[in-house]
Amino acid sequence: MSHKITLDDVKNNVEFKHLIDVSNANLKVLGYTEHGLRHVGYVSKTTANILSNVGYDERTVELGAIAGWIHDIGNAINRTHHGLTGATLAYQILIRMGMDAGEAAQIIAAIGNHEEETGTPVNAIAAALILADKSDAHRSRVRRETADRKDIHDRVNLAIKKNYLAIDKKVKTIRLVIQMDNTSATMEYLQIYLSRMVLSEKAAAFLGYWFELVINGNVINRRKPSSNVHPKAGETEVSED
């Protein structure tokens, strides 16, 4: 019999714990930034905050938090197509835990569509997950023991001192604000993140919002001219660095 699986249930599930740990370990060997508890915690919280702030019900918010926590478990198998393999793994475990099949299906649709190579915002959870995942570029993701400033991914992440998503319900804007030091530059950020920002635009549009990217006070893309690039009245920050 199915029942309401919570985020705490998922966090305490041994299978998910091992899959997250192995995913993070695999990506360390491959030279990727941190994909462990820090990353999944950020994505889980931010996905839930986005859904809550744009007006979704409490259960959808919790399903978003669950999707965020387990979105990267496919990396335990292989980096390539990890969204697709992760969705397959997640469905089996969630059903064994007793989750309603309809709810599990929403979650795996989000997980299977969170990567820019193959994904698209097919539902609200997927849209919020994309925005949360793609916004997580920050110096705290760089593995200190293997940090290499010659590597563009490490260099860009090390340069980012602060990042946050903010939602303005009045003008229907979801804004990603990034503050970088001179360790890297805007052009390098765009070199590795542009396709992710394009997917974020699609995700925001699915939710009925416009996506804006602001780096060091410069609005990279916007719907209309605006000189104010700081949080303003009506705007709510939904993520923290």
Side-chain angles (χ1 to χ4, degrees), residues 16-26 37:
F16 284 131
K17 285 182 179 179
H18 285 304
L19 287 168
I20 292 170
D21 288 344
V22 171
S23 294
N24 190 38
N26 288 353
L37 295 179

Side-chain angles (χ1 to χ4, degrees), residues 29-63:
V29 172
L30 293 172
Y32 285 87
T33 52
E34 183 268 343
H35 281 71
L37 295 179
R38 180 219 159 276
H39 175 61
V40 301
Y42 170 92
V43 175
S44 176
K45 179 180 179 181
T46 304
T47 301
N49 285 344
I50 292 168
L51 290 168
S52 178
N53 275 274
V54 301
Y56 282 87
D57 62 274
E58 186 175 329
R59 185 57 183 165
T60 301
V61 170
E62 179 137 47
L63 294 180

Side-chain angles (χ1 to χ4, degrees), residues 37-229:
L37 295 179
R38 180 219 159 276
H39 175 61
V40 301
Y42 170 92
V43 175
S44 176
K45 179 180 179 181
T46 304
T47 301
N49 285 344
I50 292 168
L51 290 168
S52 178
N53 275 274
V54 301
Y56 282 87
D57 62 274
E58 186 175 329
R59 185 57 183 165
T60 301
V61 170
E62 179 137 47
L63 294 180
I66 292 170
W69 190 262
I70 60 177
H71 75 285
D72 267 345
I73 61 173
N75 287 297
I77 297 175
N78 195 291
R79 178 65 178 173
T80 303
H81 300 310
H82 70 275
L84 304 180
T85 53
T88 303
L89 290 170
Y91 186 80
Q92 297 171 12
I93 300 171
L94 292 171
I95 293 299
R96 284 201 297 272
M97 291 176 68
M99 177 174 275
D100 172 77
E103 291 188 344
Q106 292 183 61
I107 289 173
I108 65 168
I111 295 172
N113 280 280
H114 83 275
E115 285 303 309
E116 60 271 19
E117 295 86 358
T118 57
T120 191
V122 294
N123 60 30
I125 297 171
L129 176 61
I130 288 166
L131 287 161
D133 184 44
K134 306 315 171 192
S135 71
D136 191 20
H138 189 267
R139 58 182 51 182
S140 60
R141 291 200 70 185
V142 178
R143 301 177 193 271
R144 298 297 173 179
E145 66 275 20
T146 58
D148 180 5
R149 291 183 183 274
K150 294 181 180 179
D151 178 83
I152 188 172
H153 292 84
D154 280 0
R155 189 165 61 248
V156 168
N157 277 274
L158 283 169
I160 298 175
K161 302 186 295 183
K162 184 176 179 63
N163 70 328
Y164 61 88
L165 284 169
I167 293 178
D168 188 329
K169 297 180 183 179
K170 185 175 181 180
V171 297
K172 305 293 260 184
T173 298
I174 297 176
R175 175 179 288 182
L176 173 58
V177 179
I178 293 174
Q179 295 176 10
M180 301 176 66
D181 64 24
N182 60 9
T183 302
S184 184
T186 299
M187 184 63 78
E188 287 197 323
Y189 176 89
L190 294 175
Q191 185 177 338
I192 59 176
Y193 283 101
L194 183 58
S195 61
R196 303 175 197 185
M197 295 301 98
V198 171
L199 183 57
S200 294
E201 284 186 328
K202 295 177 182 178
F206 185 95
L207 298 172
Y209 283 71
W210 178 262
F211 178 77
E212 282 188 352
L213 173 63
V214 179
I215 302 178
N216 288 348
N218 298 307
V219 183
I220 308 302
N221 65 316
R222 59 186 171 193
R223 178 170 45 187
K224 58 185 179 181
S226 172
S227 60
N228 182 5
V229 295

